[in-house]
Amino acid sequence: MSSSNLIRWSGLAALIGGVTIAILDVLEFVLYGGEADSVAAATSTFAIMYVLYMVATVLIFLGLVGLYARQAEKAGTFGVVAFVAAVAGMVMMSGFLWSALTFGVWLAEVAPEIVDSEPTGVAATMFMVTLALFALGWILFGIASLRASVLNRIASVVLIVGSVWFFVAFMIGFPATVIFAIGLAWLGYSLWSIPSESAALAQEAA
């Protein structure tokens, strides 16, 4: 399979990852919006959802690489910075999700009061840094995509708006990733919908 076709397939990964994140975010709010964190984390549904979050995160990583590769030439130096920032934010957020799936579920059983307490000190600082870096990385990536004008520009705007909303909504307990996930899925679809190399060659031959 050629590199151009691999890049195109990464768009499908971003599409599936984005849709999955959006569905899970809404579902988590519906199921656990009024529950204490320890009560939610103690359920089997919570564990299943966070496994799916991790799967979606892997797909988004793959999609991010393809989205950047498709725009790299036109995105320039700013695109490199945006890509690195988005990757860094994704790494930190995936660590947050992994901690919720492992330590969060365990602590909900043995020390629920810790799960329900607000983080302080270094933990609180790193929590805010994770949220801020995730949002900033994707805001920059959305701007880079908008400037490159390779993929759907409206999708890039939705991604930027969704990344800003993510930081605000996460702090007040609303579904935080839905708009961001829609923008990401839309960008993924935009990449996926580009004809494959073989199709393009066939069109040229015709």
Side-chain angles (χ1 to χ4, degrees):
M1 184 180 291
S2 67
S3 59
S4 61
N5 286 337
L6 283 172
I7 290 173
R8 179 172 175 267
W9 277 96
S10 70
L12 183 60
L15 171 60
I16 296 173
V19 170
T20 302
I21 289 290
I23 293 173
L24 290 173
D25 195 27
V26 172
L27 187 60
E28 185 174 4
F29 180 75
V30 171
L31 292 178
Y32 305 121
E35 298 283 358
D37 290 341
S38 60
V39 175
T43 64
S44 57
T45 303
F46 179 91
I48 293 171
M49 288 175 60
Y50 271 74
V51 168
L52 293 176
Y53 268 126
M54 293 304 303
V55 172
T57 299
V58 172
L59 292 174
I60 291 172
F61 267 118
L62 295 174
L64 176 58
V65 172
L67 289 169
Y68 169 70
R70 184 65 180 82
Q71 309 173 86
E73 185 176 350
K74 291 189 176 181
T77 303
F78 183 81
V80 175
V81 173
F83 173 70
V84 171
V87 168
M90 283 297 299
V91 168
M92 296 186 71
M93 184 56 64
S94 62
F96 175 79
L97 294 172
W98 181 253
S99 296
L101 176 60
T102 53
F103 296 107
V105 172
W106 170 60
L107 287 173
E109 296 179 0
V110 299
E113 67 280 359
I114 295 179
V115 178
D116 292 332
S117 63
E118 291 292 330
T120 58
V122 175
T125 300
M126 294 311 298
F127 178 73
M128 291 301 299
V129 168
T130 298
L131 297 182
L133 183 57
F134 180 88
L136 177 62
W138 283 103
I139 289 170
L140 294 177
F141 192 82
I143 294 173
S145 297
L146 193 61
R147 292 176 57 184
S149 296
V150 174
L151 302 175
N152 190 289
R153 291 173 59 85
I154 300 177
S156 300
V157 173
V158 174
L159 183 70
I160 295 168
V161 173
S163 300
V164 174
W165 172 250
F166 166 82
F167 186 80
V168 175
F170 203 103
M171 304 304 298
I172 60 178
F174 274 73
T177 59
V178 174
I179 301 174
F180 157 80
I182 291 172
L184 175 62
W186 195 347
L187 277 179
Y189 175 75
S190 179
L191 178 56
W192 166 250
S193 63
I194 295 174
S196 65
E197 186 178 76
S198 58
L201 290 173
Q203 288 176 358
E204 291 178 6

PDB file of all heavy atoms in Angstrom, residues 40-77:
ATOM      1  N   ALA A  40     -19.647   6.304  39.923  1.00  0.00           N
ATOM      2  CA  ALA A  40     -19.524   6.028  38.492  1.00  0.00           C
ATOM      3  C   ALA A  40     -18.391   5.053  38.218  1.00  0.00           C
ATOM      4  O   ALA A  40     -18.540   4.077  37.467  1.00  0.00           O
ATOM      5  CB  ALA A  40     -19.288   7.330  37.729  1.00  0.00           C
ATOM      6  N   ALA A  41     -17.229   5.297  38.828  1.00  0.00           N
ATOM      7  CA  ALA A  41     -16.044   4.487  38.561  1.00  0.00           C
ATOM      8  C   ALA A  41     -16.182   3.055  39.055  1.00  0.00           C
ATOM      9  O   ALA A  41     -15.444   2.169  38.607  1.00  0.00           O
ATOM     10  CB  ALA A  41     -14.812   5.133  39.188  1.00  0.00           C
ATOM     11  N   ALA A  42     -17.111   2.824  39.961  1.00  0.00           N
ATOM     12  CA  ALA A  42     -17.289   1.479  40.513  1.00  0.00           C
ATOM     13  C   ALA A  42     -18.153   0.589  39.624  1.00  0.00           C
ATOM     14  O   ALA A  42     -18.299  -0.607  39.906  1.00  0.00           O
ATOM     15  CB  ALA A  42     -17.904   1.567  41.908  1.00  0.00           C
ATOM     16  N   THR A  43     -18.720   1.129  38.545  1.00  0.00           N
ATOM     17  CA  THR A  43     -19.605   0.347  37.688  1.00  0.00           C
ATOM     18  C   THR A  43     -18.824  -0.298  36.544  1.00  0.00           C
ATOM     19  O   THR A  43     -17.813   0.232  36.089  1.00  0.00           O
ATOM     20  CB  THR A  43     -20.715   1.234  37.088  1.00  0.00           C
ATOM     21  OG1 THR A  43     -20.127   2.212  36.226  1.00  0.00           O
ATOM     22  CG2 THR A  43     -21.489   1.929  38.194  1.00  0.00           C
ATOM     23  N   SER A  44     -19.319  -1.422  36.060  1.00  0.00           N
ATOM     24  CA  SER A  44     -18.674  -2.109  34.936  1.00  0.00           C
ATOM     25  C   SER A  44     -18.827  -1.309  33.647  1.00  0.00           C
ATOM     26  O   SER A  44     -17.946  -1.345  32.775  1.00  0.00           O
ATOM     27  CB  SER A  44     -19.275  -3.504  34.757  1.00  0.00           C
ATOM     28  OG  SER A  44     -20.679  -3.437  34.558  1.00  0.00           O
ATOM     29  N   THR A  45     -19.940  -0.576  33.530  1.00  0.00           N
ATOM     30  CA  THR A  45     -20.155   0.252  32.340  1.00  0.00           C
ATOM     31  C   THR A  45     -19.071   1.306  32.206  1.00  0.00           C
ATOM     32  O   THR A  45     -18.587   1.586  31.105  1.00  0.00           O
ATOM     33  CB  THR A  45     -21.532   0.936  32.400  1.00  0.00           C
ATOM     34  OG1 THR A  45     -22.546  -0.052  32.541  1.00  0.00           O
ATOM     35  CG2 THR A  45     -21.786   1.753  31.146  1.00  0.00           C
ATOM     36  N   PHE A  46     -18.679   1.886  33.324  1.00  0.00           N
ATOM     37  CA  PHE A  46     -17.621   2.896  33.322  1.00  0.00           C
ATOM     38  C   PHE A  46     -16.324   2.311  32.785  1.00  0.00           C
ATOM     39  O   PHE A  46     -15.655   2.925  31.940  1.00  0.00           O
ATOM     40  CB  PHE A  46     -17.413   3.415  34.749  1.00  0.00           C
ATOM     41  CG  PHE A  46     -16.326   4.457  34.880  1.00  0.00           C
ATOM     42  CD1 PHE A  46     -16.637   5.801  34.768  1.00  0.00           C
ATOM     43  CD2 PHE A  46     -15.007   4.095  35.119  1.00  0.00           C
ATOM     44  CE1 PHE A  46     -15.645   6.774  34.889  1.00  0.00           C
ATOM     45  CE2 PHE A  46     -14.011   5.055  35.232  1.00  0.00           C
ATOM     46  CZ  PHE A  46     -14.336   6.392  35.126  1.00  0.00           C
ATOM     47  N   ALA A  47     -15.964   1.122  33.237  1.00  0.00           N
ATOM     48  CA  ALA A  47     -14.723   0.490  32.781  1.00  0.00           C
ATOM     49  C   ALA A  47     -14.772   0.216  31.277  1.00  0.00           C
ATOM     50  O   ALA A  47     -13.796   0.459  30.556  1.00  0.00           O
ATOM     51  CB  ALA A  47     -14.487  -0.802  33.549  1.00  0.00           C
ATOM     52  N   ILE A  48     -15.915  -0.277  30.812  1.00  0.00           N
ATOM     53  CA  ILE A  48     -16.055  -0.558  29.375  1.00  0.00           C
ATOM     54  C   ILE A  48     -15.926   0.731  28.568  1.00  0.00           C
ATOM     55  O   ILE A  48     -15.245   0.772  27.531  1.00  0.00           O
ATOM     56  CB  ILE A  48     -17.414  -1.226  29.092  1.00  0.00           C
ATOM     57  CG1 ILE A  48     -17.458  -2.619  29.720  1.00  0.00           C
ATOM     58  CG2 ILE A  48     -17.664  -1.318  27.586  1.00  0.00           C
ATOM     59  CD1 ILE A  48     -18.825  -3.263  29.682  1.00  0.00           C
ATOM     60  N   MET A  49     -16.561   1.788  29.041  1.00  0.00           N
ATOM     61  CA  MET A  49     -16.503   3.060  28.330  1.00  0.00           C
ATOM     62  C   MET A  49     -15.075   3.580  28.251  1.00  0.00           C
ATOM     63  O   MET A  49     -14.651   4.091  27.203  1.00  0.00           O
ATOM     64  CB  MET A  49     -17.406   4.088  29.021  1.00  0.00           C
ATOM     65  CG  MET A  49     -18.892   3.828  28.843  1.00  0.00           C
ATOM     66  SD  MET A  49     -19.925   4.976  29.789  1.00  0.00           S
ATOM     67  CE  MET A  49     -19.409   6.538  29.086  1.00  0.00           C
ATOM     68  N   TYR A  50     -14.308   3.436  29.326  1.00  0.00           N
ATOM     69  CA  TYR A  50     -12.943   3.962  29.317  1.00  0.00           C
ATOM     70  C   TYR A  50     -11.989   3.085  28.514  1.00  0.00           C
ATOM     71  O   TYR A  50     -10.985   3.577  27.997  1.00  0.00           O
ATOM     72  CB  TYR A  50     -12.454   4.221  30.738  1.00  0.00           C
ATOM     73  CG  TYR A  50     -12.820   5.613  31.178  1.00  0.00           C
ATOM     74  CD1 TYR A  50     -14.130   5.934  31.517  1.00  0.00           C
ATOM     75  CD2 TYR A  50     -11.882   6.632  31.196  1.00  0.00           C
ATOM     76  CE1 TYR A  50     -14.497   7.221  31.863  1.00  0.00           C
ATOM     77  CE2 TYR A  50     -12.227   7.919  31.548  1.00  0.00           C
ATOM     78  CZ  TYR A  50     -13.533   8.208  31.875  1.00  0.00           C
ATOM     79  OH  TYR A  50     -13.873   9.501  32.204  1.00  0.00           O
ATOM     80  N   VAL A  51     -12.298   1.824  28.376  1.00  0.00           N
ATOM     81  CA  VAL A  51     -11.553   0.990  27.425  1.00  0.00           C
ATOM     82  C   VAL A  51     -11.790   1.509  26.009  1.00  0.00           C
ATOM     83  O   VAL A  51     -10.856   1.633  25.202  1.00  0.00           O
ATOM     84  CB  VAL A  51     -11.959  -0.492  27.541  1.00  0.00           C
ATOM     85  CG1 VAL A  51     -11.402  -1.291  26.367  1.00  0.00           C
ATOM     86  CG2 VAL A  51     -11.458  -1.085  28.849  1.00  0.00           C
ATOM     87  N   LEU A  52     -13.047   1.835  25.708  1.00  0.00           N
ATOM     88  CA  LEU A  52     -13.379   2.375  24.388  1.00  0.00           C
ATOM     89  C   LEU A  52     -12.752   3.753  24.186  1.00  0.00           C
ATOM     90  O   LEU A  52     -12.336   4.095  23.065  1.00  0.00           O
ATOM     91  CB  LEU A  52     -14.898   2.453  24.220  1.00  0.00           C
ATOM     92  CG  LEU A  52     -15.624   1.106  24.168  1.00  0.00           C
ATOM     93  CD1 LEU A  52     -17.142   1.320  24.109  1.00  0.00           C
ATOM     94  CD2 LEU A  52     -15.163   0.299  22.948  1.00  0.00           C
ATOM     95  N   TYR A  53     -12.676   4.550  25.246  1.00  0.00           N
ATOM     96  CA  TYR A  53     -11.972   5.830  25.166  1.00  0.00           C
ATOM     97  C   TYR A  53     -10.517   5.617  24.739  1.00  0.00           C
ATOM     98  O   TYR A  53      -9.982   6.351  23.896  1.00  0.00           O
ATOM     99  CB  TYR A  53     -11.987   6.546  26.522  1.00  0.00           C
ATOM    100  CG  TYR A  53     -13.133   7.496  26.747  1.00  0.00           C
ATOM    101  CD1 TYR A  53     -13.954   7.367  27.873  1.00  0.00           C
ATOM    102  CD2 TYR A  53     -13.394   8.543  25.867  1.00  0.00           C
ATOM    103  CE1 TYR A  53     -15.004   8.242  28.106  1.00  0.00           C
ATOM    104  CE2 TYR A  53     -14.439   9.431  26.103  1.00  0.00           C
ATOM    105  CZ  TYR A  53     -15.238   9.280  27.221  1.00  0.00           C
ATOM    106  OH  TYR A  53     -16.279  10.160  27.450  1.00  0.00           O
ATOM    107  N   MET A  54      -9.868   4.616  25.323  1.00  0.00           N
ATOM    108  CA  MET A  54      -8.473   4.348  24.999  1.00  0.00           C
ATOM    109  C   MET A  54      -8.335   3.876  23.550  1.00  0.00           C
ATOM    110  O   MET A  54      -7.390   4.271  22.849  1.00  0.00           O
ATOM    111  CB  MET A  54      -7.894   3.303  25.962  1.00  0.00           C
ATOM    112  CG  MET A  54      -7.755   3.761  27.400  1.00  0.00           C
ATOM    113  SD  MET A  54      -6.763   5.271  27.581  1.00  0.00           S
ATOM    114  CE  MET A  54      -5.219   4.799  26.808  1.00  0.00           C
ATOM    115  N   VAL A  55      -9.259   3.040  23.096  1.00  0.00           N
ATOM    116  CA  VAL A  55      -9.237   2.591  21.694  1.00  0.00           C
ATOM    117  C   VAL A  55      -9.398   3.798  20.766  1.00  0.00           C
ATOM    118  O   VAL A  55      -8.671   3.935  19.770  1.00  0.00           O
ATOM    119  CB  VAL A  55     -10.354   1.560  21.423  1.00  0.00           C
ATOM    120  CG1 VAL A  55     -10.461   1.254  19.931  1.00  0.00           C
ATOM    121  CG2 VAL A  55     -10.090   0.280  22.208  1.00  0.00           C
ATOM    122  N   ALA A  56     -10.338   4.676  21.104  1.00  0.00           N
ATOM    123  CA  ALA A  56     -10.559   5.871  20.292  1.00  0.00           C
ATOM    124  C   ALA A  56      -9.326   6.767  20.290  1.00  0.00           C
ATOM    125  O   ALA A  56      -8.990   7.378  19.263  1.00  0.00           O
ATOM    126  CB  ALA A  56     -11.769   6.643  20.820  1.00  0.00           C
ATOM    127  N   THR A  57      -8.640   6.837  21.417  1.00  0.00           N
ATOM    128  CA  THR A  57      -7.431   7.650  21.507  1.00  0.00           C
ATOM    129  C   THR A  57      -6.349   7.137  20.564  1.00  0.00           C
ATOM    130  O   THR A  57      -5.668   7.923  19.892  1.00  0.00           O
ATOM    131  CB  THR A  57      -6.902   7.658  22.950  1.00  0.00           C
ATOM    132  OG1 THR A  57      -7.894   8.229  23.818  1.00  0.00           O
ATOM    133  CG2 THR A  57      -5.629   8.481  23.065  1.00  0.00           C
ATOM    134  N   VAL A  58      -6.179   5.825  20.507  1.00  0.00           N
ATOM    135  CA  VAL A  58      -5.205   5.233  19.574  1.00  0.00           C
ATOM    136  C   VAL A  58      -5.573   5.592  18.135  1.00  0.00           C
ATOM    137  O   VAL A  58      -4.705   5.973  17.332  1.00  0.00           O
ATOM    138  CB  VAL A  58      -5.141   3.703  19.751  1.00  0.00           C
ATOM    139  CG1 VAL A  58      -4.271   3.074  18.659  1.00  0.00           C
ATOM    140  CG2 VAL A  58      -4.579   3.349  21.122  1.00  0.00           C
ATOM    141  N   LEU A  59      -6.850   5.495  17.801  1.00  0.00           N
ATOM    142  CA  LEU A  59      -7.300   5.844  16.452  1.00  0.00           C
ATOM    143  C   LEU A  59      -7.038   7.312  16.146  1.00  0.00           C
ATOM    144  O   LEU A  59      -6.643   7.678  15.028  1.00  0.00           O
ATOM    145  CB  LEU A  59      -8.790   5.541  16.303  1.00  0.00           C
ATOM    146  CG  LEU A  59      -9.181   4.055  16.316  1.00  0.00           C
ATOM    147  CD1 LEU A  59     -10.704   3.910  16.313  1.00  0.00           C
ATOM    148  CD2 LEU A  59      -8.582   3.329  15.113  1.00  0.00           C
ATOM    149  N   ILE A  60      -7.248   8.168  17.145  1.00  0.00           N
ATOM    150  CA  ILE A  60      -7.016   9.601  16.945  1.00  0.00           C
ATOM    151  C   ILE A  60      -5.534   9.881  16.738  1.00  0.00           C
ATOM    152  O   ILE A  60      -5.151  10.726  15.908  1.00  0.00           O
ATOM    153  CB  ILE A  60      -7.576  10.410  18.125  1.00  0.00           C
ATOM    154  CG1 ILE A  60      -9.106  10.336  18.116  1.00  0.00           C
ATOM    155  CG2 ILE A  60      -7.127  11.863  18.064  1.00  0.00           C
ATOM    156  CD1 ILE A  60      -9.762  10.934  19.348  1.00  0.00           C
ATOM    157  N   PHE A  61      -4.663   9.190  17.469  1.00  0.00           N
ATOM    158  CA  PHE A  61      -3.222   9.327  17.243  1.00  0.00           C
ATOM    159  C   PHE A  61      -2.878   9.005  15.794  1.00  0.00           C
ATOM    160  O   PHE A  61      -2.142   9.736  15.130  1.00  0.00           O
ATOM    161  CB  PHE A  61      -2.441   8.401  18.173  1.00  0.00           C
ATOM    162  CG  PHE A  61      -2.021   9.038  19.465  1.00  0.00           C
ATOM    163  CD1 PHE A  61      -2.481   8.556  20.679  1.00  0.00           C
ATOM    164  CD2 PHE A  61      -1.152  10.116  19.479  1.00  0.00           C
ATOM    165  CE1 PHE A  61      -2.093   9.126  21.875  1.00  0.00           C
ATOM    166  CE2 PHE A  61      -0.751  10.708  20.671  1.00  0.00           C
ATOM    167  CZ  PHE A  61      -1.230  10.213  21.870  1.00  0.00           C
ATOM    168  N   LEU A  62      -3.399   7.880  15.293  1.00  0.00           N
ATOM    169  CA  LEU A  62      -3.148   7.481  13.910  1.00  0.00           C
ATOM    170  C   LEU A  62      -3.702   8.527  12.940  1.00  0.00           C
ATOM    171  O   LEU A  62      -3.060   8.883  11.944  1.00  0.00           O
ATOM    172  CB  LEU A  62      -3.782   6.119  13.632  1.00  0.00           C
ATOM    173  CG  LEU A  62      -3.217   4.931  14.411  1.00  0.00           C
ATOM    174  CD1 LEU A  62      -4.050   3.679  14.149  1.00  0.00           C
ATOM    175  CD2 LEU A  62      -1.759   4.687  14.033  1.00  0.00           C
ATOM    176  N   GLY A  63      -4.899   9.005  13.240  1.00  0.00           N
ATOM    177  CA  GLY A  63      -5.504  10.013  12.387  1.00  0.00           C
ATOM    178  C   GLY A  63      -4.728  11.316  12.384  1.00  0.00           C
ATOM    179  O   GLY A  63      -4.571  11.953  11.329  1.00  0.00           O
ATOM    180  N   LEU A  64      -4.229  11.708  13.539  1.00  0.00           N
ATOM    181  CA  LEU A  64      -3.473  12.953  13.651  1.00  0.00           C
ATOM    182  C   LEU A  64      -2.228  12.925  12.770  1.00  0.00           C
ATOM    183  O   LEU A  64      -1.898  13.910  12.100  1.00  0.00           O
ATOM    184  CB  LEU A  64      -3.094  13.197  15.113  1.00  0.00           C
ATOM    185  CG  LEU A  64      -2.221  14.420  15.416  1.00  0.00           C
ATOM    186  CD1 LEU A  64      -2.888  15.701  14.929  1.00  0.00           C
ATOM    187  CD2 LEU A  64      -1.938  14.499  16.920  1.00  0.00           C
ATOM    188  N   VAL A  65      -1.539  11.790  12.766  1.00  0.00           N
ATOM    189  CA  VAL A  65      -0.338  11.662  11.934  1.00  0.00           C
ATOM    190  C   VAL A  65      -0.691  11.840  10.461  1.00  0.00           C
ATOM    191  O   VAL A  65      -0.011  12.568   9.717  1.00  0.00           O
ATOM    192  CB  VAL A  65       0.340  10.295  12.169  1.00  0.00           C
ATOM    193  CG1 VAL A  65       1.477  10.075  11.172  1.00  0.00           C
ATOM    194  CG2 VAL A  65       0.872  10.200  13.589  1.00  0.00           C
ATOM    195  N   GLY A  66      -1.765  11.181  10.023  1.00  0.00           N
ATOM    196  CA  GLY A  66      -2.174  11.297   8.628  1.00  0.00           C
ATOM    197  C   GLY A  66      -2.660  12.692   8.273  1.00  0.00           C
ATOM    198  O   GLY A  66      -2.350  13.219   7.191  1.00  0.00           O
ATOM    199  N   LEU A  67      -3.419  13.310   9.166  1.00  0.00           N
ATOM    200  CA  LEU A  67      -3.909  14.658   8.920  1.00  0.00           C
ATOM    201  C   LEU A  67      -2.757  15.636   8.756  1.00  0.00           C
ATOM    202  O   LEU A  67      -2.780  16.511   7.875  1.00  0.00           O
ATOM    203  CB  LEU A  67      -4.816  15.111  10.075  1.00  0.00           C
ATOM    204  CG  LEU A  67      -6.188  14.449  10.180  1.00  0.00           C
ATOM    205  CD1 LEU A  67      -6.854  14.795  11.502  1.00  0.00           C
ATOM    206  CD2 LEU A  67      -7.085  14.866   9.015  1.00  0.00           C
ATOM    207  N   TYR A  68      -1.742  15.471   9.598  1.00  0.00           N
ATOM    208  CA  TYR A  68      -0.575  16.350   9.465  1.00  0.00           C
ATOM    209  C   TYR A  68       0.200  16.053   8.188  1.00  0.00           C
ATOM    210  O   TYR A  68       0.588  16.981   7.455  1.00  0.00           O
ATOM    211  CB  TYR A  68       0.354  16.209  10.670  1.00  0.00           C
ATOM    212  CG  TYR A  68       1.674  16.904  10.438  1.00  0.00           C
ATOM    213  CD1 TYR A  68       1.745  18.293  10.389  1.00  0.00           C
ATOM    214  CD2 TYR A  68       2.844  16.173  10.203  1.00  0.00           C
ATOM    215  CE1 TYR A  68       2.945  18.942  10.129  1.00  0.00           C
ATOM    216  CE2 TYR A  68       4.039  16.806   9.950  1.00  0.00           C
ATOM    217  CZ  TYR A  68       4.087  18.191   9.909  1.00  0.00           C
ATOM    218  OH  TYR A  68       5.276  18.834   9.636  1.00  0.00           O
ATOM    219  N   ALA A  69       0.421  14.774   7.906  1.00  0.00           N
ATOM    220  CA  ALA A  69       1.209  14.406   6.726  1.00  0.00           C
ATOM    221  C   ALA A  69       0.577  14.939   5.448  1.00  0.00           C
ATOM    222  O   ALA A  69       1.285  15.368   4.524  1.00  0.00           O
ATOM    223  CB  ALA A  69       1.349  12.881   6.655  1.00  0.00           C
ATOM    224  N   ARG A  70      -0.741  14.922   5.396  1.00  0.00           N
ATOM    225  CA  ARG A  70      -1.435  15.393   4.186  1.00  0.00           C
ATOM    226  C   ARG A  70      -1.268  16.893   3.993  1.00  0.00           C
ATOM    227  O   ARG A  70      -1.315  17.399   2.856  1.00  0.00           O
ATOM    228  CB  ARG A  70      -2.921  15.040   4.282  1.00  0.00           C
ATOM    229  CG  ARG A  70      -3.732  15.387   3.045  1.00  0.00           C
ATOM    230  CD  ARG A  70      -3.290  14.568   1.855  1.00  0.00           C
ATOM    231  NE  ARG A  70      -4.042  14.869   0.646  1.00  0.00           N
ATOM    232  CZ  ARG A  70      -3.796  15.902  -0.165  1.00  0.00           C
ATOM    233  NH1 ARG A  70      -2.807  16.742   0.124  1.00  0.00           N
ATOM    234  NH2 ARG A  70      -4.536  16.100  -1.244  1.00  0.00           N
ATOM    235  N   GLN A  71      -1.060  17.643   5.077  1.00  0.00           N
ATOM    236  CA  GLN A  71      -0.985  19.099   5.004  1.00  0.00           C
ATOM    237  C   GLN A  71       0.410  19.650   5.253  1.00  0.00           C
ATOM    238  O   GLN A  71       0.604  20.866   5.225  1.00  0.00           O
ATOM    239  CB  GLN A  71      -1.923  19.726   6.035  1.00  0.00           C
ATOM    240  CG  GLN A  71      -3.346  19.202   6.022  1.00  0.00           C
ATOM    241  CD  GLN A  71      -4.165  19.746   7.163  1.00  0.00           C
ATOM    242  OE1 GLN A  71      -4.741  20.823   7.076  1.00  0.00           O
ATOM    243  NE2 GLN A  71      -4.208  19.012   8.266  1.00  0.00           N
ATOM    244  N   ALA A  72       1.373  18.766   5.529  1.00  0.00           N
ATOM    245  CA  ALA A  72       2.678  19.189   6.035  1.00  0.00           C
ATOM    246  C   ALA A  72       3.349  20.246   5.166  1.00  0.00           C
ATOM    247  O   ALA A  72       3.878  21.249   5.676  1.00  0.00           O
ATOM    248  CB  ALA A  72       3.590  17.974   6.182  1.00  0.00           C
ATOM    249  N   GLU A  73       3.343  20.037   3.858  1.00  0.00           N
ATOM    250  CA  GLU A  73       4.045  20.952   2.967  1.00  0.00           C
ATOM    251  C   GLU A  73       3.479  22.361   3.048  1.00  0.00           C
ATOM    252  O   GLU A  73       4.224  23.345   3.136  1.00  0.00           O
ATOM    253  CB  GLU A  73       3.981  20.429   1.535  1.00  0.00           C
ATOM    254  CG  GLU A  73       4.784  21.269   0.552  1.00  0.00           C
ATOM    255  CD  GLU A  73       4.785  20.679  -0.846  1.00  0.00           C
ATOM    256  OE1 GLU A  73       4.323  19.536  -1.021  1.00  0.00           O
ATOM    257  OE2 GLU A  73       5.257  21.372  -1.766  1.00  0.00           O
ATOM    258  N   LYS A  74       2.143  22.475   3.034  1.00  0.00           N
ATOM    259  CA  LYS A  74       1.521  23.795   3.057  1.00  0.00           C
ATOM    260  C   LYS A  74       1.418  24.376   4.461  1.00  0.00           C
ATOM    261  O   LYS A  74       1.317  25.590   4.626  1.00  0.00           O
ATOM    262  CB  LYS A  74       0.132  23.721   2.420  1.00  0.00           C
ATOM    263  CG  LYS A  74       0.164  23.465   0.921  1.00  0.00           C
ATOM    264  CD  LYS A  74      -1.208  23.618   0.299  1.00  0.00           C
ATOM    265  CE  LYS A  74      -1.140  23.456  -1.207  1.00  0.00           C
ATOM    266  NZ  LYS A  74      -2.465  23.630  -1.858  1.00  0.00           N
ATOM    267  N   ALA A  75       1.439  23.516   5.463  1.00  0.00           N
ATOM    268  CA  ALA A  75       1.323  23.997   6.847  1.00  0.00           C
ATOM    269  C   ALA A  75       2.604  24.668   7.321  1.00  0.00           C
ATOM    270  O   ALA A  75       2.570  25.523   8.211  1.00  0.00           O
ATOM    271  CB  ALA A  75       0.953  22.852   7.770  1.00  0.00           C
ATOM    272  N   GLY A  76       3.741  24.253   6.764  1.00  0.00           N
ATOM    273  CA  GLY A  76       5.013  24.899   7.087  1.00  0.00           C
ATOM    274  C   GLY A  76       5.462  24.700   8.525  1.00  0.00           C
ATOM    275  O   GLY A  76       5.071  23.742   9.200  1.00  0.00           O
ATOM    276  N   THR A  77       6.277  25.647   8.987  1.00  0.00           N
ATOM    277  CA  THR A  77       6.829  25.564  10.342  1.00  0.00           C
ATOM    278  C   THR A  77       5.749  25.633  11.405  1.00  0.00           C
ATOM    279  O   THR A  77       5.794  24.930  12.415  1.00  0.00           O
ATOM    280  CB  THR A  77       7.842  26.703  10.574  1.00  0.00           C
ATOM    281  OG1 THR A  77       8.873  26.634   9.583  1.00  0.00           O
ATOM    282  CG2 THR A  77       8.471  26.594  11.965  1.00  0.00           C
TER     283      THR A  77
END
